[in-house]
Amino acid sequence: MLLIVRSLLLAIMLMLAFVFGGLYCLFRPRHRDNVHMFAKLFSAVAPVLGIKVIVRQPQTPSPSPCIYLANHQNNYDMFTHTAAVPKGTVSLGKKSIVWMPLFGQIYWLSGNILIDRNNRHKAFSTMADTARKIKEKCLSVWIFPEGTRSRGKGLLPFKAGAFHTAIAAGVPIVPVVASNQSNIHLNRWNNGVVIIEVMAPISTEGLSKEDVKPLSAKVHSLMADKLAELDHEAGSMMGKPAAV
């Protein structure tokens, strides 16, 4: 019964968000704050799903513009990570998203950037254009560097595109880590705590494309350690061992 009720509520809330949010975007298409508006709408769904989201920001506000690198776990990212998305931020997504009925068109209309990962030349061209937009429009970009959902398998290897873009734009990288959420089920009343921590910025000043691999390795190590730490803490809050 809980599964049915939640599924209906989720469908209604998402439809309302898409309809009213889509109409809003029609009046200011691809505005730099459209994604933040949708993020607030989606993050409000978390309590309905039995998820308590805790967002931790660094003592010093993240610089703007910057590139946010977040771990990508499953579809629930739409309701958890969104609580940490600031104004002036758009996301980078696969070009195929645009063909998803309603969601894809709104994703583009809200100002997000689409990349064709199957075409290496076009992908690099898009990343170069993204670097230009970051500098010209003072725009931050939210990227999932794993490129796919980890589905509870920890932090997957990173793709290089985000690091090339950060270095080309000359902006810092801000890691964002969410604790494990692979145990979320719509038919369970309490789905526990998801802790999202926005980490300290990592400068790319003075770096070149030769520094991409060591920079990627450094960020991956920091995020993997933070993920293990947050998983343990979130598990303790629920009174059970953290997920492995």
Side-chain angles (χ1 to χ4, degrees), residues 153-233:
K153 298 178 182 177
L155 196 64
L156 301 180
F158 287 169
K159 296 184 180 298
F163 301 93
H164 280 290
T165 303
I167 290 173
V171 297
I173 288 170
V174 178
V176 183
V177 181
S179 61
N180 178 63
Q181 55 190 41
S182 62
N183 59 344
I184 296 173
H185 300 288
L186 293 182
N187 61 348
R188 183 167 54 200
W189 182 257
N190 183 2
N191 277 304
V193 176
V194 174
I195 305 173
I196 301 174
E197 184 160 332
V198 181
M199 300 174 67
I202 299 170
S203 176
T204 63
E205 186 177 354
L207 300 184
S208 66
K209 61 181 181 180
E210 285 75 24
D211 299 301
V212 165
K213 284 189 176 181
L215 177 61
S216 176
K218 174 184 177 181
V219 175
H220 190 281
S221 177
L222 288 171
M223 291 180 66
D225 289 345
K226 179 58 66 176
L227 178 58
E229 177 187 321
L230 295 181
D231 282 352
H232 184 271
E233 183 179 355

Side-chain angles (χ1 to χ4, degrees), residues 24-185:
Y24 191 70
C25 287
L26 285 174
F27 288 97
R28 57 173 203 180
R30 302 188 65 76
H31 189 278
R32 67 194 307 273
D33 289 335
N34 284 349
V35 174
H36 172 75
M37 180 267 295
F38 271 110
K40 289 301 180 187
L41 292 175
F42 290 153
S43 63
V45 175
V48 177
L49 304 180
I51 308 168
K52 179 180 179 181
V53 178
I54 299 173
V55 179
R56 294 173 180 165
Q57 300 282 354
Q59 290 185 344
T60 302
S62 298
S64 181
C66 65
I67 288 185
Y68 294 96
L69 297 186
N71 60 322
H72 193 14
Q73 299 184 58
N74 50 36
N75 290 337
Y76 293 114
D77 290 332
M78 183 185 294
F79 311 114
T80 56
H81 266 302
T82 45
V85 176
K87 288 185 176 180
T89 301
V90 299
S91 70
L92 191 72
K94 295 183 294 185
K95 189 176 182 179
S96 58
I97 291 176
V98 78
W99 300 111
M100 295 176 63
L102 188 60
F103 177 80
Q105 294 74 53
I106 291 177
Y107 186 85
W108 176 83
L109 190 63
S110 57
N112 293 298
I113 300 169
L114 297 168
I115 183 171
D116 186 355
R117 290 201 178 104
N118 295 322
N119 187 314
R120 185 177 178 85
H121 176 72
K122 287 185 177 180
F124 273 106
S125 177
T126 301
M127 299 305 275
D129 187 52
T130 299
R132 178 184 59 80
K133 289 180 179 178
I134 289 172
K135 291 187 285 188
E136 291 181 357
K137 299 183 178 181
C138 195
L139 198 66
S140 294
V141 181
W142 189 283
I143 299 176
F144 294 114
E146 297 160 284
T148 188
R149 300 170 182 85
S150 61
R151 301 190 187 282
K153 298 178 182 177
L155 196 64
L156 301 180
F158 287 169
K159 296 184 180 298
F163 301 93
H164 280 290
T165 303
I167 290 173
V171 297
I173 288 170
V174 178
V176 183
V177 181
S179 61
N180 178 63
Q181 55 190 41
S182 62
N183 59 344
I184 296 173
H185 300 288

